[in-house]
Amino acid sequence: MTPGCPSGWAARDGMTKDRKHMPQDTISPRENRRDVLERLYHTVMARKGASPSISHSARLMARGRSKIAQKFGEEAVECVIEAIKGDRHGLISESADVLYHLIVMWVDAGIDPADVWAELERREGTSGIEEKASRPKPAF
Ligand SMILES: N=c1c2ncn([C@@H]3O[C@H](COP(=O)(O)OP(=O)(O)OP(=O)(O)O)[C@@H](O)[C@H]3O)c2ncn1[C@@H]1O[C@H](COP(=O)(O)O)[C@@H](O)[C@H]1O
């Protein structure tokens, strides 16, 4: 994969091939921000096997899958609490924690963000109501 060129997004977001290969500092801050999850994924990937004394991601991964999943769950619950409280700032902050911990979970599980983007893309245009109605009905 091209450094600074996150998997999967460039083409789908309408960037031309040339634009896809522009150096990061010539891409507008708005576009740069849109790639933040991909950058975070690559940062966490690079932390695999790093010393737990210098990297929180490395420390978390060294503690194993159950701990990673537990932390994700805790952050998700904190997100729910902020949403129910109606605390906008809290919800933004907890959402960032959830996304960070989700990415650590992806890295640990060997999932590339492009796999998730592809699944979201596959669902595009199908209403959740429609999809649920199309599921096979239980026999009883
Ligand atoms: N986005 C984040 C991010 N969000 C939250 N956190 C850390 O997640 C931790 C959550 O703290 P908690 O007390 O809930 O959890 P804990 O320390 O594991 O404690 P226990 O549950 O074990 O008691 C804090 O240390 C936060 O700083 C993050 N740590 C790192 N990142 C990103 O990951 C990159 C790599 O970080 P390192 O792996 O630390 O180099 C950074 O540059 C950031 O971009």
Side-chain angles (χ1 to χ4, degrees):
M1 193 179 310
T2 312
C5 177
S7 60
W9 273 17
R12 282 199 284 283
D13 284 349
M15 289 188 203
T16 65
K17 203 168 181 194
D18 287 345
R19 185 145 181 70
K20 187 174 158 185
H21 294 288
M22 284 171 86
Q24 281 288 301
D25 61 1
T26 61
I27 297 177
S28 75
R30 196 178 172 82
E31 282 172 287
N32 219 353
R33 182 178 283 176
R34 201 169 48 184
D35 291 340
V36 71
L37 285 179
E38 294 273 357
R39 291 200 304 277
L40 183 53
Y41 167 77
H42 289 290
T43 302
V44 175
M45 275 292 278
R47 296 297 193 268
K48 264 178 110 172
S51 167
S53 65
I54 56 153
S55 159
H56 180 75
S57 315
R59 185 178 305 171
L60 200 48
M61 289 187 275
R63 293 172 81 185
R65 186 159 296 173
S66 299
K67 186 67 190 178
I68 294 169
Q70 180 198 323
K71 286 304 300 176
F72 173 77
E74 286 173 14
E75 301 301 346
V77 169
E78 283 166 23
C79 207
V80 168
I81 292 168
E82 297 305 327
I84 292 169
K85 273 174 22 192
D87 183 334
R88 187 173 184 278
H89 179 76
L91 181 55
I92 290 170
S93 173
E94 294 301 340
S95 298
D97 282 350
V98 165
L99 290 173
Y100 164 70
H101 285 87
L102 178 62
I103 284 176
V104 174
M105 203 154 64
W106 287 351
V107 167
D108 176 69
I111 290 173
D112 190 293
D115 300 332
V116 181
W117 312 152
E119 175 61 16
L120 285 172
E121 227 177 25
R122 190 187 65 75
R123 297 179 187 187
E124 250 177 352
T126 304
S127 143
I129 305 276
E130 194 185 310
E131 183 277 328
K132 199 167 182 179
S134 72
R135 289 183 200 167
K137 303 277 175 292
F140 51 91

